[in-house]
Amino acid sequence: QRSGSKDTNPNRLDCSCAGHVDVQDLSPEFTAIRELKEEIGLQFQPQDLIFAFLSPCVSRTNTYYDRELVHVFILPCSNFQDFRFTVAANEVVNLHVEPISTVLTDLAQGHKRFVPKPKHYVDALAHTFQRIKKNNL
C-alpha cells in the first residue's frame, strides 16, 4: 500500500514495486532491483527476475501528466514468509499478500483500492501469470 504522502495515488494498493530509471541504473533490471531494495528491503540480482512485458502507460490528473514506458518483471517465489521485508515509510505503509486472481479481477474492474492500470497492462499481467503457471516457473 502506497504511503499517504505520495503525490500520486496515495494510500492505494499497487501490484508492484515501481520507479523511474535513474542515470546510474545500467538497465531496467537494475532499476527493478534498486526499487525492490528501496521500497520493501529485498535484495536480489537481475538474473532472479523474469521479464514479463513492456507497456506504454499514460496517466493524467489535475496535477500531473505522466507518459512512460513500463518494464514489468516478476520475482518468482513460493513462500513470502521466507522474506524479511523492511518498508520505506515514505514509500510504503503496508504490504498485502492476496491471490493473483483477486488482484487481477480488482485491477480489471478498476477497483478504487488499486492504482489504476490500463486494460492492456492488466491483460498482459494475466497472460504472464498464466505462462508462469503453465511452465512451472
Side-chain angles (χ1 to χ4, degrees):
Q1 181 177 6
R2 294 170 60 83
S3 167
S5 64
K6 298 295 284 181
D7 58 345
T8 58
N9 300 296
N11 296 314
R12 285 191 172 183
L13 298 178
D14 204 343
C15 61
S16 67
C17 287
H20 294 93
V21 177
D22 285 346
V23 172
Q24 73 272 12
D25 291 341
L26 301 175
S27 68
E29 291 85 354
F30 279 91
T31 300
I33 294 301
R34 178 178 51 76
E35 290 293 339
L36 279 169
K37 177 117 173 90
E38 286 177 9
E39 292 184 8
I40 59 175
L42 297 181
Q43 192 154 356
F44 288 92
Q45 298 299 313
Q47 61 269 22
D48 297 324
L49 301 174
I50 296 173
F51 175 75
F53 58 93
L54 193 61
S55 173
C57 286
V58 177
S59 49
R60 179 182 287 179
T61 70
N62 294 335
T63 58
Y64 73 92
Y65 178 56
D66 196 11
R67 296 179 345 165
E68 56 193 16
L69 193 55
V70 178
H71 295 79
V72 179
F73 300 91
I74 304 295
L75 177 64
C77 66
S78 58
N79 188 354
F80 280 104
Q81 294 175 348
D82 293 341
F83 297 127
R84 292 181 183 235
F85 295 99
T86 307
V87 298
N90 63 326
E91 297 276 346
V92 177
V93 294
N94 204 352
L95 295 174
H96 295 254
V97 177
E98 298 185 28
I100 191 62
S101 59
T102 301
V103 172
L104 291 171
T105 298
D106 286 358
L107 285 171
Q109 293 176 352
H111 198 289
K112 295 291 184 195
R113 68 189 185 114
F114 277 98
V115 172
K117 303 290 184 197
K119 182 180 181 329
H120 68 269
Y121 182 101
V122 178
D123 291 346
L125 192 60
H127 177 74
T128 298
F129 281 104
Q130 290 169 354
R131 184 181 51 150
I132 288 170
K133 185 177 179 179
K134 178 181 175 186
N135 295 318
N136 293 319
L137 297 177

